[in-house]
Amino acid sequence: MQNNGWVDSFEKYAQQWITKGQVPGVCMGLAKGGQLFYSNGFGFRDVERQLGVTIDTVFGIGSITKSFTCVAVMQLQEAGKLSVHDPVVKYLPEFRLKNNDVGQITIHHFMTNTSGIPPLPTAFASMMRSLEENEVEDHPFLQNEADVTVPIDTYEDLMNAISTLDLELLGPPGTEFSYSNDCFALLGAIIERVSGKAYETYVKEHIIDPIGMEHTSFFLEELNGYENITNLYIMRDRGDHKEVVPSPNWWDTPVARAAGFLKSTVRDMLRYTDMFCKGGLTASGNRILTPESVQLMITPYFPTDLVPGQFYGYGLLITSDYYGKKLVEHSGGIKGVTAQMCFFPETGLAGVALSNLELSPVLAVMVGALNSLENRPPESSHLVSKIDFLTEEAMNQFVGDYQSSEFGTLPIRLENGQLELSFLGENYVMRPFAEDIFVVQAFGTDFSARFIRLENQEIVRMAFSGRQFYKTSGGNEK
C-alpha cells in the first residue's frame, strides 16, 4: 500500500532508540483503513530464551485502557442509563472529599481529568496485594506514597481512603487539568453500578469481543494457555551503569483496572483504532459507538500540559494541528509496560507500538514512523518555540522544588545557564518554549512544563507529565 522507501530510515532510527533505551522487546504496527501495511518486532519477548516479538505478542497497554473505559461510558449514555454531565455522586454517593464539596464534579470532569482533584497517594495501597516486597525499592514513585498504607481492595475502600486525605482542589471543576488515575478508577465503579456487571466483564462483552480482539484481556488466565505473552523487565540502577533485569510479576489492582491494566497485542489494538476511524463500526460491521459518540470522545476539551497544543478528550489525547492533520493518541506506562496508540480520523492511518520495559522510548519510535512515512527526518518535531532565549535572572524565578503525592519532589535548578529538571532519577534540560512554558526532551520525545502563577505573579505550581506539582521552595538554590 505504501512506498517502502521510508522503512529503512525509520527502522535504523527506531533501533538506535531501542538500543539506547536497552529495551528488550518492541512491536510496531501501522494500518490504513484497517489494512495492516507495516509491522515489525524488535528484540525479544523473552530474552533468556531468545523468543522474538510478533504482532500477536501480548503486552500491557497501561493507560490506553482509559479510552476503553470512556467507550463503555459512552455506550451507557447511548443506552440512556447515564449522562456524562451527571454528577458523580448520583452513582457514587460515598464519594466525598474531606475539605471540599464534590456535588459539582461530573462524569465529564472525570473523563477529561478536570475534576480539580490533585494527584493522590493511593497507587501503592491499591496495588499492594500484587506487589512483591523487593519491587518497591525499584520504583521510586511508590516510595512517595506514605499517606495510605492500608490495602485498597474495593471501590468502597478507595472512596473511603480519598475521603480521609487533606486535599486542596486545584480549582473549580472544569478549570484545571491534572491527570487522575483515581478518577478513572471510579469511572469503573460507575460502569459497574449502572450496567450491573463487573467492569472487566462489561468491557469484554461490549468492546473487546465485538471488535474481535482475540488476545486482549485484563486477566492472562483468560487467554486459555496462549503462550505468545511477553515477560516483563525493569531498569535497575547499579551506580556506574543501568541494567535491565526480568521482573515477572504483573502489577494489578482490583479497583483501578479502569485506569490502566488491560493487556493486548498490536494486531488487536489496530482493530480497536480502526473502530474509531470508521465512526464506531468494526471491520465486521458491529457497531460499538455511534458516530456522534466517537466525535464526543475525540473533541479537544481541555489543554493537557503534556505537550503544547495537545488537548484531552474522553480518554484520548488530541492534537488539532499535527502537520495540518488531527492526531488522536494515548500512551500507557507501568512496570514492564510502555505503550503508544495513535490514529488520524480523517485519513484512517493508525499506529500502535508496545514494549516490555517501563519508560522506554516507544513514543519516539512512533513519531519516527509517522515522520518517515511523510518524508520528514524521523527526529522531526511539530513544535515550534515562540521564545529562543531567557536571561538567568528570568530563569531563576522558576528554580525550586515541586511536589506531588504521586511522584514526590521534582527539583528544578539553574546549572551552567540552563534550567534542569530532575525526574525519576534523571536530569533534563528545560528549553524555553513560550511564556511560562518549557519543553523537556525525555525518552526521545518532547514534554511540556507549564508554570502556574497567582494574580500577584507568584509561581505556585508546575504542570508536568499531565500532573500538577505544588511549589514547596524556591530561590537561588543550586
Side-chain angles (χ1 to χ4, degrees):
M1 189 225 99
Q2 295 280 336
N3 182 326
N4 287 333
W6 62 274
V7 171
D8 289 343
S9 64
F10 158 65
E11 291 189 344
K12 181 179 179 181
Y13 177 79
Q15 191 61 64
Q16 288 173 345
W17 275 109
I18 292 166
T19 301
K20 182 178 180 180
Q22 300 182 55
V23 190
V26 174
C27 188
M28 171 84 199
L30 297 166
K32 183 81 177 283
Q35 298 300 309
L36 181 73
F37 67 87
Y38 173 82
S39 69
N40 194 12
F42 301 85
F44 302 100
R45 74 175 194 264
D46 185 328
V47 174
E48 293 69 32
R49 294 193 293 161
Q50 297 283 286
L51 299 177
V53 169
T54 75
I55 194 174
D56 294 310
T57 300
V58 174
F59 293 86
I61 66 167
S63 285
I64 298 175
T65 307
K66 290 178 170 68
S67 63
F68 287 77
T69 299
C70 290
V71 169
V73 171
M74 299 308 290
Q75 289 178 333
L76 293 169
Q77 177 169 266
E78 289 178 11
K81 295 184 176 181
L82 58 73
S83 165
V84 296
H85 300 297
D86 287 337
V88 169
V89 291
K90 179 176 179 180
Y91 306 98
L92 303 178
E94 312 97 310
F95 172 61
R96 59 197 181 277
L97 297 176
K98 186 175 180 180
N99 305 318
N100 300 276
D101 175 50
V102 298
Q104 301 304 308
I105 299 177
T106 66
I107 295 173
H108 168 89
H109 294 135
F110 273 15
M111 294 165 76
T112 56
N113 289 307
T114 58
S115 68
I117 297 173
L120 303 180
T122 57
F124 175 77
S126 68
M127 291 190 291
M128 195 178 294
R129 305 293 188 191
S130 69
L131 288 172
E132 295 178 343
E133 289 183 9
N134 66 338
E135 290 188 333
V136 178
E137 64 188 40
D138 296 317
H139 294 83
F141 72 88
L142 288 179
Q143 298 179 43
N144 300 318
E145 303 211 348
D147 292 3
V148 181
T149 56
V150 177
I152 294 174
D153 295 325
T154 67
Y155 293 124
E156 291 74 22
D157 290 345
L158 178 59
M159 287 185 277
N160 182 63
I162 292 172
S163 72
T164 67
L165 299 172
D166 287 311
L167 303 177
E168 176 187 347
L169 287 182
L170 301 169
T175 65
E176 294 285 345
F177 178 89
S178 189
Y179 197 79
S180 177
N181 287 310
D182 296 274
C183 290
F184 268 88
L186 293 179
L187 286 174
I190 292 174
I191 291 165
E192 285 206 356
R193 293 188 180 182
V194 170
S195 70
K197 297 176 181 286
Y199 165 79
E200 301 86 353
T201 302
Y202 181 92
V203 170
K204 176 175 171 55
E205 293 180 354
H206 293 267
I207 304 173
I208 294 171
D209 289 348
I211 292 177
M213 302 176 74
E214 297 175 0
H215 305 302
T216 299
S217 180
F218 289 96
F219 308 107
L220 293 177
E221 56 268 24
E222 284 188 354
L223 299 179
N224 298 319
Y226 186 69
E227 294 185 356
N228 193 355
I229 300 172
T230 188
N231 287 355
L232 302 184
Y233 297 86
I234 60 174
M235 184 79 73
R236 279 196 168 151
D237 192 339
R238 301 301 193 190
D240 60 340
H241 72 284
K242 292 187 175 181
E243 180 184 7
V244 173
V245 298
S247 184
N249 184 44
W250 289 75
W251 284 1
D252 189 26
T253 165
V255 299
R257 293 191 184 117
F261 290 85
L262 196 56
K263 291 94 175 165
S264 190
T265 68
V266 168
R267 190 190 303 276
D268 279 1
M269 290 302 299
L270 287 172
R271 290 172 177 154
Y272 179 65
T273 57
D274 187 49
M275 180 272 294
F276 286 102
C277 293
K278 288 185 165 66
L281 274 177
T282 69
S284 60
N286 291 326
R287 180 159 292 286
I288 306 300
L289 292 173
T290 64
E292 292 77 16
S293 290
V294 170
Q295 286 304 311
L296 288 171
M297 285 194 66
I298 63 175
T299 296
Y301 293 111
F302 209 89
T304 65
D305 291 322
L306 286 161
V307 177
Q310 188 183 74
F311 293 76
Y312 213 81
Y314 286 159
L316 293 166
L317 297 158
I318 298 101
T319 302
S320 299
D321 182 8
Y322 186 85
Y323 296 105
K325 303 184 191 72
K326 183 175 188 174
L327 169 66
V328 181
E329 61 185 323
H330 211 286
S331 61
I334 196 169
K335 190 199 84 166
V337 175
T338 311
Q340 185 69 25
M341 168 191 83
C342 76
F343 60 91
F344 295 84
E346 296 138 335
T347 66
L349 174 66
V352 174
L354 306 177
S355 78
N356 50 17
L357 179 71
E358 181 184 353
L359 300 176
S360 71
V362 295
L363 180 53
V365 171
M366 177 72 75
V367 170
L370 299 179
N371 283 331
S372 298
L373 265 176
E374 298 197 345
N375 298 312
R376 295 185 294 268
E379 68 277 8
S380 299
S381 171
H382 73 289
L383 301 176
V384 179
S385 294
K386 301 174 179 63
I387 297 176
D388 295 324
F389 173 78
L390 286 177
T391 65
E392 288 199 12
E393 181 182 4
M395 286 189 286
N396 197 61
Q397 64 184 311
F398 304 106
V399 169
D401 292 330
Y402 296 80
Q403 194 271 337
S404 88
S405 296
E406 192 172 11
F407 283 117
T409 300
L410 271 60
I412 294 179
R413 302 291 181 261
L414 191 56
E415 299 285 351
N416 302 316
Q418 297 185 110
L419 283 177
E420 285 190 359
L421 177 149
S422 296
F423 180 59
L424 296 178
E426 299 288 342
N427 294 328
Y428 299 99
V429 172
M430 305 177 70
R431 308 192 316 270
F433 181 83
E435 185 176 1
D436 288 341
I437 299 175
F438 292 78
V439 169
V440 174
Q441 186 173 80
F443 321 113
T445 51
D446 289 329
F447 299 89
S448 69
R450 178 176 66 91
F451 294 88
I452 300 162
R453 300 177 185 266
L454 294 176
E455 290 182 3
N456 66 2
Q457 294 301 299
E458 177 190 1
I459 293 172
V460 291
R461 297 195 301 273
M462 175 184 65
F464 177 72
S465 190
R467 281 82 167 168
Q468 291 204 16
F469 296 73
Y470 289 94
K471 190 174 186 182
T472 57
S473 68
N476 298 304
E477 301 102 318
K478 280 273 187 173

